[in-house]
């Protein structure tokens, strides 16, 4: 990837040098102690994605104000990015400038996966209006890993991410360096997203506040079930193909889609070797026949092309799976659709709820190609697959203050609204059941319930859950026997071996986590990372008290 200095991104507009007063009152420390200082402006731009008219997008334009410009790279020609690199222990200062075109588009950047104080984590109540600035300054305390950032204003997150706002925050440390992984040009971030285009090459987003103003069934399905596009983009590009050498790559996958889940596999059946998850490297590489990656999650692969020949082509597929939504209603039909399938096919199938969920050109669980690897160069491989990648200091169940009595989080739908323990998001609202003590370890159990009597999805749907501010361990998964079939179609692809900040719950599944609240008292959110669910209120606060 080319190194770039100065302003990165679409249209080369300089961020305004004079920042508006920061109403959240973050520290006004001078910059003598920061290692990297960036201005990040969320703004509108145009980009050529399809032949003909350019596509209007929203993008983060970066300008390096201090530090090594090589640590902030654009994804060339993409609305996504930038890719920010920092090492553990560094201090980073970011001036976020909201330059979005619509007055209503308040915004704020959330650093997904990083362990930060409340004001830096950016609770939705800190969102600023267009024309305003929000300043972040923090020390990177996390271990090496693939973290990311995206907007987080209440009820507007899904559309802002959809319009293009998301980037990567890659942390490195000594433990990672010791693992001797592919680096530089052999360390490739891959952000997976899906989009819909109108005949003028513009993104179509049909949920509330959408650009197209499409009424009716499709719109309701998008808002309640989650937005699904029918075109797959990798790093903001259609028909993505990776020219590769005959050697090993580190592929850092991020599912940056609003609601789509991917079941990733190589088309020739080669198993996948995972080396990292949300919170960095695993202890040892693990093999999977396929990898399941839900919105918000990251998986890092050790992808070895050294046995390939120049001219070989390999496709990364998303395989068919079922039961993620509308379980029991017309599940088999997903397989019949292709990437270019006409919108609206299958509307009549699967009954009321199943049919609505599946009225998409590319339903959840349908198979499709994600990207192509083309082997174009012979190179001598010198790296060996490490047997030990890192040491995870273990969390132990016996250290949890509530080891016999997990804190319960029931996920359900009531009157067509997704809820957590019967509640939806309230800006400052937090219950006793959502209040934890600093420096304690707890067991949390999330239960994806069925919703008898709910017309939209009586068996429930898949929810990728995310908790701000912490990395946790997954210690148990169970599923209701009657919903085991859908679960079985994705579960071998779970990579639960390392630190996680986001995890998938299939319908009928319950998951136990071990988490510890360190360093920062305050108010943080946890939510479904199906972004339409999040915006619809499937988000709550938790408070860490001293
Ligand atoms: Cu990536 Cu609160 O989200
Ligand atoms: Cu987060
Ligand atoms: Cu959800």
């Amino acid at each position: 990837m080319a190194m770039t200095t100065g302003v990165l991104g679409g249209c080369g507009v300089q961020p305004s040098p004079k920042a508006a007063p920061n109403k959240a009152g973050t520290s006004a420390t001078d910059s003598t102690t920061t290692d990297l200082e960036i201005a990040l402006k969320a703004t509108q731009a145009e980009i050529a994605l399809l032949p003909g008219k350019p596509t209007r997008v929203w993008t983060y334009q970066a300008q390096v104000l201090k530090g090594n410009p090589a640590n902030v790279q654009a994804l060339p020609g993409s609305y996504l990015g930038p890719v920010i690199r920092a090492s553990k222990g560094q201090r980073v200062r970011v001036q976020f400038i909201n330059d979005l075109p619509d007055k209503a588009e308040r915004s704020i950047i959330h650093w997904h996966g990083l362990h930060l104080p409340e004001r830096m984590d950016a609770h939705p109540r800190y969102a600023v209006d267009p024309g305003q600035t929000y300043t972040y300054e923090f020390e990177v305390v996390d271990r090496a890993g693939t973290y990311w950032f995206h907007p987080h204003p209440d009820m507007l997150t899904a559309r802002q991410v959809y319009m293009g706002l998301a980037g990567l925050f890659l942390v490195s440390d000594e433990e990672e360096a010791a693992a001797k992984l592919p680096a530089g040009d052999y360390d490739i971030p891959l952000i997976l997203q899906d989009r819909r285009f109108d005949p003028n090459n513009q993104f179509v987003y049909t949920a509330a506040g959408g650009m197209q103003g499409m009424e009716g069934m499709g719109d309701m399905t998008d808002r309640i079930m989650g937005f699904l596009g029918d075109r797959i983009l990798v790093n903001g590009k259609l028909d993505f193909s990776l020219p590769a050498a005959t050697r090993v790559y580190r592929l850092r996958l991020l599912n940056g889609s609003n609601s789509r889940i991917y079941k990733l596999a190589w088309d020739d059946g080669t198993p996948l070797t995972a080396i990292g998850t949300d919170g960095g490297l695993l202890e040892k590489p693990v093999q999977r026949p396929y990898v399941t990656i839900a919105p918000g999650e990251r998986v890092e692969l050790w992808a070895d092309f050294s046995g390939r020949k120049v001219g070989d082509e390999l496709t990364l597929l998303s395989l068919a799976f079922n039961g993620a939504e509308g379980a029991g209603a017309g599940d088999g039909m997903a397989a019949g659709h292709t990437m270019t399938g006409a919108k609206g096919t299958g509307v009549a199938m699967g009954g009321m709820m199943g049919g609505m969920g599946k009225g998409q050109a590319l339903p959840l669980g349908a198979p499709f190609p994600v990207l192509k690897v083309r082997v174009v160069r012979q190179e001598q491989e010198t790296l060996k697959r490490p047997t030990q990648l890192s040491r995870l200091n273990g969390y132990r169940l016996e250290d949890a203050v509530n080891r016999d009595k997990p804190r319960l989080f029931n996920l359900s739908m009531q009157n067509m609204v997704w809820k957590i323990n019967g509640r939806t998001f309230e800006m400052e609202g937090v219950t006793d059941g959502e209040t934890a003590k600093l420096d304690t370890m707890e067991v949390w159990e999330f239960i994806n319930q069925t919703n008898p009597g709910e017309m939209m999805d009586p068996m429930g749907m898949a929810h990728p859950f995310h908790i701000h501010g912490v990395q946790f361990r997954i210690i148990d998964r169970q599923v209701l026997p009657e919903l085991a079939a859908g679960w079985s179609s994705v579960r071998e692809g779970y990579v639960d071996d390392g630190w996680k900040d986001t995890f998938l719950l299939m319908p009928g599944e319950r998951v136990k986590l071990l988490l510890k609240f360190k360093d920062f008292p305050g108010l943080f959110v946890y939510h479904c990372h199906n972004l339409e669910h999040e915006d619809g209120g499937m988000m709550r606060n938790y408070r860490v008290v001293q």
Side-chain angles (χ1 to χ4, degrees):
M1 220 166 294
M3 286 190 212
T4 325
T5 53
V7 175
L8 309 173
C11 50
V13 180
Q14 292 285 334
S16 59
K18 227 178 92 234
N22 171 15
K23 70 174 178 189
T26 45
S27 66
T29 354
D30 64 61
S31 53
T32 50
T33 56
T34 55
D35 300 287
L36 184 65
E37 208 173 319
I38 324 164
L40 272 186
K41 182 198 264 192
T43 194
Q44 184 159 290
E46 288 196 326
I47 208 157
L49 290 176
L50 289 162
K53 280 217 178 100
T55 304
R56 204 175 325 111
V57 296
W58 293 349
T59 188
Y60 288 120
Q61 270 179 12
Q63 189 184 25
V64 180
L65 306 173
K66 185 187 168 193
N68 185 355
N71 287 334
V72 183
Q73 297 178 338
L75 281 169
S78 176
Y79 55 83
L80 289 168
V83 180
I84 302 172
R85 286 184 170 78
S87 29
K88 186 174 175 172
Q90 282 192 320
R91 287 196 72 81
V92 177
R93 190 175 160 98
V94 178
Q95 261 182 54
F96 165 61
I97 302 150
N98 182 350
D99 185 43
L100 294 176
D102 189 310
K103 275 203 207 61
E105 297 293 341
R106 59 186 189 281
S107 195
I108 191 78
I109 294 177
H110 166 60
W111 311 92
H112 181 130
L114 294 184
H115 178 54
L116 298 171
E118 178 192 302
R119 280 176 193 278
M120 302 301 120
D121 178 81
H123 188 277
R125 74 182 186 284
Y126 296 132
V128 296
D129 290 329
Q132 287 196 303
T133 292
Y134 190 90
T135 304
Y136 299 83
E137 190 178 323
F138 55 83
E139 183 187 333
V140 179
V141 299
D142 297 273
R143 58 201 299 269
T146 306
Y147 305 94
W148 66 300
F149 60 94
H150 60 78
H152 218 297
D154 186 29
M155 298 190 289
L156 298 172
T157 294
R159 179 158 174 265
Q160 291 184 6
V161 172
Y162 185 78
M163 285 301 291
L165 295 170
L168 290 171
F169 194 99
L170 307 182
V171 177
S172 57
D173 66 10
E174 281 165 18
E175 188 176 48
E176 178 194 47
K180 297 221 169 26
L181 298 172
D185 289 344
Y186 308 108
D187 173 357
I188 312 241
L190 297 167
I191 306 174
L192 314 182
Q193 294 182 319
D194 54 344
R195 295 289 183 267
R196 273 181 233 158
F197 291 88
D198 73 9
N200 287 316
N201 293 350
Q202 302 308 306
F203 286 160
V204 176
Y205 187 66
T206 61
M211 308 171 69
Q212 287 295 302
M214 275 191 57
E215 308 299 328
M217 208 81 130
D219 183 50
M220 189 167 81
T221 304
D222 285 346
R223 281 186 286 114
I224 297 177
M225 310 304 275
F227 176 92
L228 292 169
D230 53 9
R231 301 294 306 270
I232 304 302
L233 292 92
V234 178
N235 293 348
K237 300 266 166 73
L238 292 156
D239 305 314
F240 185 88
S241 121
L242 180 71
T246 55
R247 50 160 297 156
V248 178
Y249 284 76
R250 176 183 189 177
L251 303 181
R252 302 180 189 243
L253 296 157
L254 158 66
N255 183 346
S257 311
N258 283 34
S259 88
R260 184 174 295 282
I261 299 160
Y262 301 74
K263 176 179 174 179
L264 300 172
W266 295 112
D267 62 343
D268 68 351
T270 306
L272 282 77
T273 303
I275 53 171
T277 49
D278 304 341
L281 295 177
L282 305 175
E283 286 202 307
K284 299 176 182 358
V286 298
Q287 263 197 11
R288 295 286 185 271
Y290 58 86
V291 161
T292 306
I293 184 168
E297 287 188 302
R298 288 84 71 206
V299 175
E300 298 193 23
L301 301 178
W302 172 272
D304 187 353
F305 307 126
S306 64
R308 311 269 166 184
K309 292 191 304 292
V310 172
D312 280 0
E313 272 194 5
L314 200 61
T315 303
L316 187 66
L317 303 170
S318 184
L319 304 177
F321 56 91
N322 55 63
E325 66 180 16
D331 275 334
M333 63 163 294
H337 290 276
T338 64
M339 284 183 73
T340 50
K343 198 175 170 203
T345 39
V347 151
M349 307 184 61
M352 185 62 186
M353 38 284 158
M356 283 169 73
K358 312 248 158 146
Q360 318 272 355
L362 193 63
L364 190 56
F368 51 84
V370 175
L371 61 88
K372 239 189 192 77
V373 174
R374 287 180 298 115
V375 181
V376 295
R377 240 175 29 252
Q378 186 73 40
E379 260 181 49
Q380 200 50 47
E381 180 53 79
T382 52
L383 290 179
K384 277 213 192 60
R385 188 170 116 175
T387 47
Q388 184 84 31
L389 294 160
S390 76
R391 300 238 171 242
L392 306 181
N393 70 37
Y395 277 8
R396 300 177 320 166
L397 180 59
E398 45 279 33
D399 296 333
V401 291
N402 62 339
R403 59 186 169 278
D404 305 316
K405 204 170 167 287
R407 226 180 250 275
L408 294 181
F409 299 91
N410 289 306
L411 314 179
S412 67
M413 175 184 260
Q414 290 165 14
N415 301 318
M416 313 253 280
V417 177
W418 294 109
K419 297 188 172 173
I420 304 170
N421 285 338
R423 293 188 156 85
T424 53
F425 185 60
E426 305 159 89
M427 197 56 100
E428 317 254 350
V430 63
T431 64
D432 287 348
E434 296 168 318
T435 305
K437 248 182 112 48
L438 191 66
D439 289 323
T440 57
M441 186 179 296
E442 294 204 2
V443 198
W444 285 17
E445 182 167 18
F446 286 78
I447 305 170
N448 195 353
Q449 298 186 321
T450 58
N451 307 295
E454 283 290 335
M455 177 187 77
M456 273 307 266
D457 214 1
M459 302 317 267
M461 74 171 288
H463 302 288
F465 250 77
H466 170 50
I467 306 172
H468 280 214
V470 286
Q471 293 287 335
F472 47 78
R473 300 301 301 274
I474 293 175
I475 54 169
D476 191 42
R477 287 181 184 269
Q478 308 276 338
V479 73
L480 291 177
E482 61 270 34
L483 291 172
W487 184 71
S488 301
S489 74
V490 300
R491 74 173 180 97
E492 281 177 88
Y494 289 149
V495 186
D496 289 343
D497 309 61
W499 291 107
K500 296 286 291 167
D501 56 50
T502 310
F503 60 99
L504 180 62
L505 283 137
M506 284 289 279
E509 188 168 20
R510 49 202 295 164
V511 177
K512 270 190 204 160
L513 317 173
L514 264 185
L515 58 174
K516 190 170 178 181
F517 307 97
K518 291 179 285 198
D519 309 315
F520 310 124
L523 199 64
F524 301 89
V525 294
Y526 65 103
H527 59 86
C528 183
H529 221 287
N530 175 320
L531 296 180
E532 283 71 31
H533 291 188
E534 173 184 343
D535 279 354
M538 200 179 204
M539 170 158 75
R540 291 286 306 167
N541 287 312
Y542 74 94
R543 187 187 292 283
V544 179
V545 295
Q546 234 145 4

